[in-house]
Structure formats: C-alpha cells, structure tokens
C-alpha cells in the first residue's frame, strides 16, 4: 500500500489526501525512523510509520504590523498563500510565499492599497530578503545571478521550472552568512519574483536549498 492512502485509512480523524500530502511535504512523516516526503512511497510488512499531526498553523498566525491600509503577518511554513488565507484575514494578497517558506507576508486591506502595492512589486521598488540553508560549501561569498526560467515539467500537480536560454528573467544576489561542513547559511536578495525562483537558481548553482524535494536533496 502507498503511504498517503495508508495514513488516510489509519488516522482516527478523517482527513483528505490533500491535507495528508501537505503534512508529508512538510516532512512530518517517518518510515522506520527515516523522514519520507513522497506520497506514493510503497510500504512493506512490518514498516513502522509515524506522523506528527500539527495544530492548525493558520490559527497561530502572528501579526507583525497593521494599520488602516495594510497588514503584515509572519506566515508559518505549511500555510498556503491563497484565497482561503485572504478570506481568513479579510485582506488581499500582494505577493506570495511558497507553502514551505516562512516569513513576512504583506497584505492590503483596501483595493487602493492593493493596486499601489501591486505596482510597487511590478516596478521592483520592494526590497526582498530571505535566509536559506543550502547544500554544500559555497566558494563565492557573494554574487549575483541573472538567468531565464521556463516551465520544464509537472510533478505531483506542481509546475517544475528550470534555467533555460530564454524565458522569464530572474535576478538574485546572495551573501554568505555562516559556513558549515556540509551546508551554508546564506542571505538572498531577489530582484524579481518568479515562481520557485530561489529554489531553481540555487539548484542551478549546485547548492540547492535543503529540504527541497523538487529541486534538490531532502
């Protein structure tokens, strides 16, 4: 039997396969003590399967700032930037963070604020900054990468992007914060906001973000 249907069958509370896949994506399941994120992994007799069921992440969303026009939240990993979040917060998303990414998310409380912020992002007047733990030791302590991204395939219902000779322009700068024996903590400064941009570009540099099952090692 495959992992996701097995969990759905044996959980006390009835859960959708979609919700179970989200937990697997977040690395909350293990098989015989080893983390497993792939939904279709086949189980064998006597396998020990464990799943950590988190409290509802969106019930714990921390407000960082709010006034009459905007609000800024600390989006936890596992929360999707979608219309459900807009309805919960009664505000408009002005940009998005990947489901597995945590960080400050800016929303507009009025249509006027939304239009203004859309224009700010479009004209690249918003400065974005991310922290990421990437695989390996980076020889260059800082740099800038300009590349072009295009859709390459589909995996588990998601678009998978790749660096190509043409496509959507993607620009990111980086700076090493701390070095380890097998990984490096870096600060990323994207000038563009392409889907999966940082994940694709770091993988292209042979330093994928740790835990990224689409573009690197988990």
């Amino acid at each position: 039997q495959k992992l996701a249907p097995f969990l759905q069958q044996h959980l006390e509370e009835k859960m959708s396969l979609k919700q179970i896949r989200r937990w697997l994506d977040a690395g909350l399941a293990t098989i015989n003590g080893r983390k497993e994120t792939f939904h279709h992994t086949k189980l064998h007799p006597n396998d020990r399967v464990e799943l950590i069921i988190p409290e509802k992440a969106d019930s714990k969303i921390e407000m960082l700032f709010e006034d009459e026009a905007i609000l800024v939240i600390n989006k936890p990993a596992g929360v999707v930037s979608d219309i459900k979040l807009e309805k919960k917060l009664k505000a408009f998303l002005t940009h998005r963070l990947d489901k597995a990414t945590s960080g400050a998310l800016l929303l507009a409380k009025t249509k006027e604020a939304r239009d203004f912020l859309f224009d700010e992002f479009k004209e690249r007047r918003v400065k974005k900054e991310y922290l990421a733990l990437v695989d390996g030791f980076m020889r260059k302590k800082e740099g800038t990468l300009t590349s072009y991204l295009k859709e390459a395939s589909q995996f588990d219902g998601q678009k998978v992007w790749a660096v190509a000779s043409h496509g959507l322009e993607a620009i990111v700068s980086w700076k090493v914060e701390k070095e380890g024996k097998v990984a490096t903590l870096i600060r990323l400064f994207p000038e563009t906001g392409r889907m999966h941009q940082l994940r694709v570009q770091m993988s292209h540099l042979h330093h994928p973000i740790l835990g990224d099952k689409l573009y690197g090692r988990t």
Side-chain angles (χ1 to χ4, degrees):
Q1 190 173 6
K2 294 179 180 179
L3 178 58
F6 172 84
L7 289 170
Q8 185 184 43
Q9 179 181 341
H10 288 84
L11 288 174
E12 292 184 5
E13 184 179 353
K14 187 175 181 181
M15 292 289 175
S16 68
L17 282 173
K18 184 176 181 180
Q19 177 60 67
I20 292 171
R21 288 195 205 87
R22 288 178 178 173
W23 289 338
L24 294 177
D25 288 341
L28 300 179
T30 61
I31 299 176
N32 302 323
R34 177 179 56 84
K35 185 175 73 173
E36 183 55 72
T37 59
F38 288 98
H39 319 151
H40 304 303
T41 296
K42 290 184 179 180
L43 299 173
H44 301 92
N46 299 318
D47 276 345
R48 179 179 178 84
V49 179
E50 295 185 358
L51 175 69
I52 299 173
I53 300 178
E55 296 180 21
K56 290 185 178 179
D58 59 0
S59 66
K60 289 186 170 184
I61 291 177
E62 176 188 4
M63 295 290 177
L64 301 177
F65 176 82
E66 183 174 9
D67 62 15
E68 68 280 358
I70 66 170
L71 61 88
V72 183
I73 67 168
N74 183 15
K75 186 191 89 66
V79 171
V80 181
S81 303
D82 63 3
I83 192 170
K84 291 182 181 179
L85 184 61
E86 288 186 320
K87 288 181 177 179
K88 178 179 178 60
L89 298 174
K90 297 180 181 179
F92 304 102
L93 286 166
T94 62
H95 66 114
R96 297 175 187 272
L97 294 175
D98 285 349
K99 181 173 66 174
T101 301
S102 61
L105 191 64
L106 175 61
L107 297 97
K109 296 172 66 175
T110 67
K111 290 183 178 180
E112 292 78 13
R114 179 193 61 184
D115 293 343
F116 172 79
L117 290 170
F118 277 167
D119 187 60
E120 292 293 289
F121 277 102
K122 182 179 178 181
E123 298 301 324
R124 302 182 185 178
R125 289 192 287 262
V126 178
K127 303 300 182 183
K128 295 172 283 186
E129 184 176 316
Y130 294 80
L131 278 173
L133 192 64
V134 301
D135 184 37
F137 179 81
M138 296 190 71
R139 295 184 180 279
K140 291 186 177 181
K141 307 306 180 188
E142 57 185 290
T144 299
L145 174 65
T146 300
S147 51
Y148 296 92
L149 309 184
K150 73 172 184 178
E151 185 179 347
S153 62
Q154 293 267 342
F155 175 77
D156 203 19
Q158 296 186 68
K159 290 182 179 180
V160 179
W161 296 79
V163 172
S165 59
H166 61 279
L168 301 175
E169 184 182 46
I171 305 171
V172 64
S173 298
W174 78 87
K175 182 178 180 181
V176 170
E177 287 288 315
K178 189 173 182 180
E179 298 169 337
K181 293 182 178 179
V182 296
T184 305
L185 181 67
I186 64 173
R187 200 170 292 273
L188 293 161
F189 307 94
E191 293 185 26
T192 52
R194 308 304 184 189
M195 179 179 287
H196 297 178
Q197 174 184 332
L198 302 182
R199 298 161 65 184
V200 177
Q201 289 186 300
M202 293 314 301
S203 180
H204 182 69
L205 290 175
H206 306 294
H207 296 287
I209 295 174
L210 292 182
D212 188 346
K213 73 171 187 176
L214 278 184
Y215 301 102
R217 301 190 321 188
T218 57

